[in-house]
Amino acid sequence: MSSPVEAETPLVTVVIPAYNAAGCIGRAVKSVQDQSLQNFELVIVDDVSSDATVEVVEEMVRIDGRIRLVKAETNGGPSAARNLGFRHARGEWIAILDADDAFKPTRLETLIARAQAEKLDAIADNIDIHDYHADATIPAVINRLKDFGGAYFTLTLEEFLRYDFVESGYQFGLMKPIFRSDFLKANDLAYPTAYRHGEDSYLYSALLACKARMEIAKEAFYIYTPTFGPVSRKISEFSRTKTDYIKKAKSCDDFLQAYGARISMAARRLVEQRRARMLAFNEFLITLEARRNLGIIGTLKRLAAHPSSIQFLPSLVLRKLRSLLPFGAQTAVKS
């Protein structure tokens, strides 16, 4: 392993968007520093934090010359912060890492070697779930990857859309791909900044609509911290995701306007189905939130008035049942 000095031409730029991440960013940065592949630069974009994030990162920069701090002028959310990191990236590849997540030690080496060998434009992997409060890990949670053969498989736009619906358990949109920088630039690809929920799915859909060659590793090399811990049943204090299924539905309209002319009819239908399901899921969430005031009869009446939302009841029941199981048994029961 080479010494931690700044590489003249880094093979990969790791971009970490950071907002009030002083309490967790050390873990994320260390997971990059501990990579078996050491030819990297680490660009941390501070999104106008109000805590000690800047001071913490400045100390990291002082110690490790491969780390650079970029300060956003205004708080724009994770998409704007990532895009700013993209503009400062010098690597041939760009890897996204959220401030409360981590890489496993061989992630960059394994995935980039595969991408180079297969001449890919992007590559992603399964994810482990890390419950911050329980300090517990659930391995390889995107169980839909089992539907594909081999250790790696080529991902199409149609397959991505089919497996990224809200009721499909842990979704493909949770994956954090590694992108070839030149492909992003050539196709003017970036995270959409108009919404802060579903931005990942939009970019990955756009990437595939632009005919990117992308593979998925069925093994998990990324450790993801969800908003809600599946073991502790507590909210992570570091997660900034705010669900908004109305805007997520709008992202489908935006995607079709931008890329509808270049995708297949099958893909277009899947995007339209996704939009409809986002709106139906939003109605389902409204019913859940109002059920105590509505009572059983009122809740049933509201469900009957929005029949498309009933499709989400089975997955809710399954999740409730899974939450009653011991931690070890939860990993074997996934929707």
Side-chain angles (χ1 to χ4, degrees), residues 15-19 45 47 75-85 96 98 191-193 195-197 199-200 240-242:
V15 175
I16 300 180
Y19 176 71
V45 181
D47 197 22
N75 177 270
S79 290
R82 290 167 181 161
N83 293 341
L84 182 56
I96 294 295
D98 286 345
Y191 285 92
T193 57
Y195 25 83
R196 302 189 182 192
H197 183 208
E199 73 279 4
D200 302 276
R240 310 299 176 196
T241 300
K242 294 183 178 179

Side-chain angles (χ1 to χ4, degrees), residues 50 106 133 236-237 288:
S50 59
T106 61
H133 288 286
S236 169
E237 62 193 81
L288 284 183

Side-chain angles (χ1 to χ4, degrees), residues 46-205:
D46 178 68
D47 197 22
V48 194
S49 297
S50 59
D51 69 352
T53 297
V54 168
E55 290 77 8
V56 169
V57 174
E58 284 177 338
E59 178 62 15
M60 295 173 176
V61 171
R62 187 186 67 79
I63 296 172
D64 190 338
R66 295 169 300 181
I67 302 174
R68 286 190 287 145
L69 172 63
V70 176
K71 298 179 183 179
E73 293 183 0
T74 59
N75 177 270
S79 290
R82 290 167 181 161
N83 293 341
L84 182 56
F86 283 8
R87 294 195 290 274
H88 283 266
R90 298 182 297 122
E92 179 183 346
W93 298 89
I94 297 178
I96 294 295
L97 175 61
D98 286 345
D100 57 344
D101 294 344
F103 290 161
K104 291 185 179 180
T106 61
R107 185 175 196 259
L108 295 179
E109 180 180 20
T110 301
L111 297 186
I112 291 176
R114 174 71 182 187
Q116 290 176 321
E118 299 298 323
K119 296 181 172 55
L120 304 178
D121 302 303
I123 188 167
D125 51 332
N126 208 328
I127 60 174
D128 289 350
I129 289 291
H130 174 70
D131 188 320
Y132 168 76
H133 288 286
D135 193 22
T137 299
I138 303 176
V141 297
I142 305 179
N143 59 310
R144 302 286 175 159
L145 295 181
K146 296 175 183 176
D147 294 352
F148 301 87
Y152 295 86
F153 66 90
T154 300
L155 183 66
T156 66
L157 175 60
E158 291 79 6
E159 287 165 340
F160 175 77
L161 293 169
R162 191 173 294 116
Y163 288 95
D164 197 42
F165 287 136
V166 292
E167 74 273 27
S168 63
Y170 290 109
Q171 305 158 40
F172 277 24
L174 291 176
M175 294 186 290
K176 293 291 187 290
I178 299 174
F179 310 99
R180 188 184 292 276
S181 301
D182 288 347
F183 190 89
L184 294 178
K185 292 174 183 176
N187 292 279
D188 195 26
L189 291 169
Y191 285 92
T193 57
Y195 25 83
R196 302 189 182 192
H197 183 208
E199 73 279 4
D200 302 276
S201 293
Y202 183 99
L203 176 59
Y204 308 162
S205 298

Side-chain angles (χ1 to χ4, degrees), residues 319-335:
R319 289 178 186 178
K320 288 291 185 182
L321 290 173
R322 188 197 312 160
S323 70
L324 300 175
L325 296 173
F327 168 58
Q330 290 181 26
T331 62
V333 182
K334 298 187 177 72
S335 57

Side-chain angles (χ1 to χ4, degrees), residues 233-248:
R233 320 300 294 173
K234 295 181 180 179
I235 301 293
S236 169
E237 62 193 81
F238 300 121
S239 178
R240 310 299 176 196
T241 300
K242 294 183 178 179
T243 58
D244 188 335
Y245 289 96
I246 297 296
K247 285 191 175 181
K248 201 168 184 180

